[in-house]
């Protein structure tokens, strides 16, 4: 298979996602027992490929069409190798820092010249926002938080979102303090197709999406505010406050730092498409497919899905999200895979990266 369909449509010259907006806890739980196996992961900002190292695989093959996204992972590798965990969190932007420029230089010391040049040019932005804040997607959230949110909610209300409460109290807080008329108006404006396409996601990504993004986001925010505990949600915290609180994404937590650092040499980074990996003839035991299927037309999805199956070992799991466009095993491959419905239901209920409408776990029949 040649070029990936989206490759010719979107512009990948800059960082689109400076951190990973998919919940690595549910991803790693969905992949099951992968010890000693080969895993394949879409890179994006690299955090979930790093989280997959906690599963003790023999290797994680990391692919991405975007050199800028691959550079995010390469920088993280340098940061894990050369920084302490508290320094790492300062560099990411999870914690305040007055020395990010130095931490960035330290993290880049052993990097290849392209990665160093790429990130050095971004140093002023890293100093302000951290490496997790410099993508197009994060900029979109920043504009939302700094320019629009203050017209809707006071700082006190935002702080109160992250007070831990039992679920009934969360529903009362959400209905009476958070989900106000102004909030709903803001969602409708900001998550219009036009604005989202212009500021966050490439318009090409909406070609196959059905329904209003704002309606979808409103439903999912209720999941993040009521069904799950906001005080444990790093994604919601970053969106509303521009940094992290107590909760961190999996790969950034202190308890995983040494394990990930010790296994960095198991990452096998292959810039390029997933389709290129599947054409090598290698077999993998699990795939983190991010939400890439949503970026494809249904016909292309079917073709790519078939080629992934040809690169999947028996019992391999395919794990992926859908934000708005429905994508699940195509009819012609249904006899080859089993949908792990119970696993999906349990994990969907826990998923703190709340934007997605669906989370899919499919296992290749042995
Ligand atoms: C699908 S996007 C979604 C990002 C995600 N929701 C997040 O939170 O980071 C993730 C990455 O997939 C890459 N990508 C999309 N289609 C791909 C393909 N066919 N092969 C390899 N990478 C692909 C993009 O370059 C992007 O960096």
């Amino acid at each position: 298979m040649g070029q990936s369909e989206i490759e010719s449509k979107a512009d990948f010259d800059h960082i689109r996602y400076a951190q990973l907006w998919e919940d690595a806890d549910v991803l790693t739980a969905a992949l099951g027992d992968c010890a000693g196996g080969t895993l394949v992961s879409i890179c994006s900002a690299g955090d979930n490929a790093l989280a997959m190292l906690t599963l003790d695989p023999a290797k994680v093959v990391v692919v991405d069409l975007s050199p800028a996204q691959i550079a995010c992972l390469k920088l993280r590798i340098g940061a894990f190798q050369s920084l302490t965990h508290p320094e790492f969190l300062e560099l990411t932007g999870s914690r305040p820092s007055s020395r990010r420029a130095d931490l960035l230089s330290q993290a880049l010391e052993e990097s290849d010249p392209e990665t160093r040049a790429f990130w050095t040019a971004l140093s002023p932005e890293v100093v302000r926002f951290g490496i997790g804040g410099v993508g197009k997607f994060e900029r979109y959230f920043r504009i939302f938080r700094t320019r629009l949110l203050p017209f809707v909610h006071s700082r006190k209300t935002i702080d109160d979102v992250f007070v831990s409460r039992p679920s009934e109290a969360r529903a009362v807080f959400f209905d009476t303090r958070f989900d106000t008329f102004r909030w709903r108006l803001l969602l409708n404006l900001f998550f219009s197709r036009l604005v989202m396409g212009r500021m966050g996601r490439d318009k090409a990504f909406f070609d196959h999406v059905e329904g209003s993004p704002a309606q979808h986001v409103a439903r999912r925010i209720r999941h993040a505010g009521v069904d799950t505990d906001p005080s444990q949600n790093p994604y919601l915290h970053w969106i509303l406050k521009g940094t992290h609180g107590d909760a961190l994404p999996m790969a950034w937590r202190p308890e995983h730092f040494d394990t990930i650092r010790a296994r960095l040499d198991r990452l096998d980074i292959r810039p390029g498409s997933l389709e290129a990996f599947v054409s090598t003839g290698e077999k993998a035991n699990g795939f983190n497919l991010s939400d890439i299927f949503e970026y494809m037309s249904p016909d292309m999805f079917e073709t790519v899905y078939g080629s992934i199956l040809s690169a999947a070992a028996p019992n391999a799991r395919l794990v992926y999200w859908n934000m708005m466009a429905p994508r699940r095993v195509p009819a012609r491959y249904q006899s080859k895979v089993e949908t792990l419905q119970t696993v999906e239901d349990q994990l969907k209920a826990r998923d703190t990266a709340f934007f997605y409408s669906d989370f899919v776990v499919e296992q290749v029949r042995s």
Side-chain angles (χ1 to χ4, degrees), residues 4-6 12 16-22 42-45 63-66 69 137 201 205 272-275 289-293 295-296 304 323 355-356:
S4 183
E5 188 184 37
I6 197 75
F12 287 115
R16 202 171 275 279
Y17 308 96
Q19 60 180 286
L20 236 140
W21 295 93
E22 290 158 7
I42 295 291
C43 184
S44 201
V63 296
D64 207 293
L65 294 169
S66 159
Q69 297 299 147
F137 206 56
R201 301 191 123 208
F205 297 158
S273 69
L274 174 74
E275 293 86 322
L289 300 166
S290 177
D291 60 351
I292 64 163
F293 293 142
Y295 295 55
M296 301 172 189
V304 174
M323 190 176 284
F355 329 97
Y356 305 95

Side-chain angles (χ1 to χ4, degrees), residues 33-286:
D33 180 7
C34 304
T38 294
L39 296 175
V40 175
S41 179
I42 295 291
C43 184
S44 201
D47 301 312
N48 285 4
L50 291 167
M52 286 159 72
L53 292 173
T54 64
L55 297 172
D56 202 15
K59 70 174 170 181
V60 179
V61 177
V62 191
V63 296
D64 207 293
L65 294 169
S66 159
Q69 297 299 147
I70 296 278
C72 293
L73 177 57
K74 289 190 173 168
L75 172 61
R76 282 155 167 76
I77 292 172
F80 269 88
Q81 283 167 336
S82 62
L83 303 181
T84 62
H85 182 258
E87 289 170 340
F88 178 79
L89 291 188
E90 287 183 44
L91 182 63
T92 59
S94 301
R95 299 285 177 259
S97 179
S98 53
R99 50 172 181 164
R100 284 200 193 108
D102 290 341
L103 297 174
L104 180 65
S105 311
Q106 238 174 288
L108 289 171
E109 244 159 52
E110 303 289 319
S111 300
D112 58 83
E114 294 78 32
T115 305
R116 199 174 315 131
F118 178 81
W119 278 102
T120 304
L122 287 171
S123 184
E125 279 190 70
V126 171
V127 166
R128 290 183 66 194
F129 309 121
I131 62 171
V134 301
K136 195 171 177 187
F137 206 56
E138 293 77 23
R139 190 152 58 243
Y140 174 68
F141 285 138
R142 189 153 55 243
I143 292 169
F144 178 79
R145 176 173 59 81
T146 58
R147 305 213 192 135
L148 301 172
L149 193 56
F151 292 106
V152 173
H153 284 312
S154 66
R155 188 178 285 255
K156 166 137 184 29
T157 302
I158 298 298
D159 286 345
D160 280 356
V161 169
F162 298 100
V163 171
S164 184
R165 318 176 159 79
S167 69
E168 309 80 62
R170 292 203 292 268
V172 172
F173 176 85
F174 189 85
D175 292 335
T176 58
R177 301 262 316 275
F178 197 79
D179 192 24
T180 58
F181 174 74
R182 281 191 191 202
W183 169 253
R184 286 195 293 266
L185 191 66
L186 176 66
L187 284 191
N188 283 324
L189 286 176
F190 199 68
F191 290 99
S192 66
R193 270 164 198 269
L194 182 71
V195 178
M196 259 184 112
R198 284 182 69 157
M199 296 170 70
R201 301 191 123 208
D202 194 294
K203 277 200 280 299
F205 297 158
F206 286 111
D207 285 358
H208 312 292
V209 165
E210 291 155 23
S212 136
Q215 286 167 349
H216 164 75
V217 171
R219 280 194 300 274
R220 299 310 298 157
I221 287 179
R222 193 174 176 88
H223 169 82
V226 179
D227 305 343
T228 56
D229 181 354
S231 74
Q232 296 306 310
N233 189 328
Y235 311 100
L236 188 66
H237 198 285
W238 190 290
I239 293 167
L240 296 182
K241 295 182 64 113
T243 185
H244 283 134
D246 293 340
L248 293 164
M250 185 174 178
W252 297 8
R253 286 182 207 140
E255 62 268 33
H256 297 308
F257 192 72
D258 289 339
T259 308
I260 292 174
R261 179 172 19 205
R263 296 178 182 167
L264 291 170
D265 60 351
R266 302 190 198 177
L267 295 172
D268 178 354
I269 303 176
R270 305 196 196 167
S273 69
L274 174 74
E275 293 86 322
F277 166 80
V278 300
S279 62
T280 62
E282 292 161 85
K283 301 271 183 200
N285 306 95

